[in-house]
Amino acid sequence: MTRAQPQAKDATRSKWTDKAVYAAGAVVWRLVDGKLRVLLIHRTKYRDITLPKGKVDPGEMLAETAVREVHEETGIRVSLGVPVGVSRYHLPSNKQKVVHYWAAEATDDAIRESTFVPNREIAAVEWVSVSKARSRLSYPVDLEILDFFARLVDDGVLRTFPVIALRHAKALSRGDWDGPDAERPLTDRGLRQAESIVGPLRAFGVRRIVTSDAVRCVQTVKPLTKALERKAVKTAKISQDAWEDGQDDLRSVIGRRVRSGKPAVVCSHGPVLPGILSEIALATGTIQGSYVGSAADLEPAAFSVVHLSATNPGSGIIAIETHVPKV
C-alpha cells in the first residue's frame, strides 16, 4: 500500500477546479550533523513564513513548476522526491488556490551553488527542525503538508529514488503506416509531446534512460537524452513486438533498475505498461492493488513516477503519481 496517495493528473480537473489557480512547491530538507532540517522562507510583501512555492507558468507541468519555484525563491536546485500533499484555500479574489507539494532533498553541492540574496520577494531563508517549523509557519495549510512530511520521516522512507514508467508519445496509427510496426514514427503532435515532458522528467532527477527499441519510443526519449547529454539504453526486452510474441523480459529490465537505486525512466508501450508496473511491485515486495492498474493506464507521453525507498528496500512502493502532458 502506498503511503502517499497518487497526485491528481495534471490534465484531469474536477469542475470546481477549472477556475482555480494552480501552484507547486516543496518541503526542502537536508541533514546537518545528522539532524534533519527543513527550509522556510520569509516573504517580504506578506510578512509571513511559509514553504517555497509558486504559480504554474503557461505550458508548465506541476513538477517542473515546483523545481523552478524552489530555485527562484531559494537559489537551490533540487530534484523532487515523494509527493507530500495538496493544499487548497481561497484567495481574496474568492478563487481556489491549489498547491501541490513534494519532499526535496537539498544536496551539499546544491547549497554551495546557491546564489540567494535577500530581495524584494524573499527577505530571508532559514533551516530549522521540524518541530521549530511547526511553531514558525504562518498558515495551517502549510502545517498539514509538514505533518505529512514528518510521517515519512518517522517511517524512515524520506530519501527515495524514482522509477518512471513512460508511455511513448503520439505515433502514427497502424492504418496510416505501411512499414513494420516497430518503425512507426511519432506524429507532429507526438514530437511536441516528447519535447514537453523533458522538464517534468528532469524535475525528478532522471539520469538513466531505458527504452523499447521501437522508433516511436526512441523518438519520445530523444529530447531528454539531448537535454541530459546521455545515451538511452535501447532494448527489445520491453518492446510491444516482444510482448506480443511472448519474448519480452520485463523482469530483468525492471529488476536491474530497482536494484540500482538510481533515478530512471523506462519508455514502453500501452499494452506493456501493466506488466512493467507489476514487475516494480513484485521487485519491491509490494502488495498489488488497483493503484497499479491505474498507474499503468496512461495516455500517450504520460508517465507514472514510482517512488522507492533508497535506504529501506523492504518498504515497498512509497508512492505513485501520474503526470499527463498538456500538448
Side-chain angles (χ1 to χ4, degrees):
M1 182 66 67
T2 54
R3 289 176 174 79
Q5 293 301 311
Q7 299 275 89
K9 292 184 178 182
D10 279 289
T12 303
R13 311 295 193 203
S14 63
K15 189 172 183 180
W16 71 266
T17 59
D18 284 339
K19 297 179 181 179
V21 175
Y22 284 87
V27 180
V28 181
W29 64 274
R30 64 186 290 204
L31 294 177
V32 180
D33 297 328
K35 297 179 180 179
L36 181 70
R37 297 291 183 263
V38 296
L39 186 63
L40 305 183
I41 62 170
H42 296 241
R43 295 194 299 182
T44 307
K45 179 180 178 181
Y46 300 103
R47 296 181 180 273
D48 60 8
I49 300 176
T50 186
L51 302 169
K53 65 180 180 298
K55 290 188 292 186
V56 175
D57 279 350
E60 273 188 335
M61 292 171 67
L62 290 165
E64 57 189 321
T65 299
V67 169
R68 176 182 57 76
E69 284 290 342
V70 168
H71 181 249
E72 288 180 359
E73 293 191 339
T74 72
I76 300 172
R77 295 190 184 277
V78 298
S79 295
L80 302 181
V82 177
V84 290
V86 182
S87 67
R88 295 177 172 87
Y89 52 93
H90 285 280
L91 297 169
S93 64
N94 207 37
K95 284 187 176 181
Q96 291 276 353
K97 187 166 186 179
V98 182
V99 189
H100 289 247
Y101 288 95
W102 286 262
E105 182 178 7
T107 65
D108 291 340
D109 286 344
I111 292 169
R112 280 193 294 269
E113 293 168 4
S114 172
T115 57
F116 172 81
V117 292
N119 53 72
R120 292 181 180 180
E121 183 179 359
I122 308 298
V125 299
E126 64 172 334
W127 293 96
V128 299
S129 66
V130 172
S131 60
K132 184 171 286 188
R134 284 196 178 100
S135 66
R136 295 177 70 77
L137 285 167
S138 300
Y139 305 107
V141 289
D142 287 351
L143 290 173
E144 293 174 3
I145 299 300
L146 186 66
D147 286 344
F148 195 105
F149 172 87
R151 288 197 289 273
L152 294 173
V153 177
D154 292 342
D155 288 347
V157 293
L158 179 57
R159 182 173 279 136
T160 59
F161 70 95
V163 176
I164 301 175
L166 168 67
R167 183 178 178 182
H168 66 75
K170 182 66 176 177
L172 286 178
S173 67
R174 292 193 180 194
D176 293 333
W177 178 249
D178 295 329
D181 185 63
E183 296 179 12
R184 192 156 44 96
L186 297 183
T187 63
D188 288 344
R189 182 188 176 198
L191 293 171
R192 293 194 301 272
Q193 288 175 331
E195 292 284 353
S196 74
I197 59 177
V198 171
L201 289 171
R202 294 189 72 178
F204 291 99
V206 167
R207 302 299 294 165
R208 186 74 166 176
I209 306 162
V210 181
T211 181
S212 159
D213 59 358
V215 168
R216 55 193 182 276
C217 285
V218 174
Q219 286 184 319
T220 297
V221 300
K222 184 176 180 180
L224 180 63
T225 62
K226 183 177 180 181
L228 296 178
E229 297 182 342
R230 286 178 173 255
K231 292 183 178 180
V233 176
K234 304 173 189 176
T235 175
K237 294 179 180 179
I238 58 173
S239 70
Q240 186 165 340
D241 283 350
W243 178 82
E244 289 177 349
D245 294 339
Q247 301 298 313
D248 62 276
D249 189 5
L250 308 183
R251 181 155 298 177
S252 67
V253 174
I254 297 305
R256 186 173 183 180
R257 298 276 52 84
V258 171
R259 291 191 302 273
S260 76
K262 304 295 183 182
V265 60
V266 179
C267 183
S268 188
H269 311 260
V272 186
L273 289 170
I276 288 176
L277 269 295
S278 292
E279 289 298 336
I280 296 175
L282 286 169
T284 56
T286 306
I287 297 174
Q288 297 194 45
S290 60
Y291 66 90
V292 174
S294 297
D297 185 17
L298 298 175
E299 300 176 18
F303 58 91
S304 286
V305 184
V306 184
H307 296 275
L308 307 175
S309 174
T311 55
N312 190 352
S315 299
I317 294 173
I318 308 303
I320 300 179
E321 54 180 309
T322 294
H323 297 263
V324 181
K326 297 180 179 180
V327 177

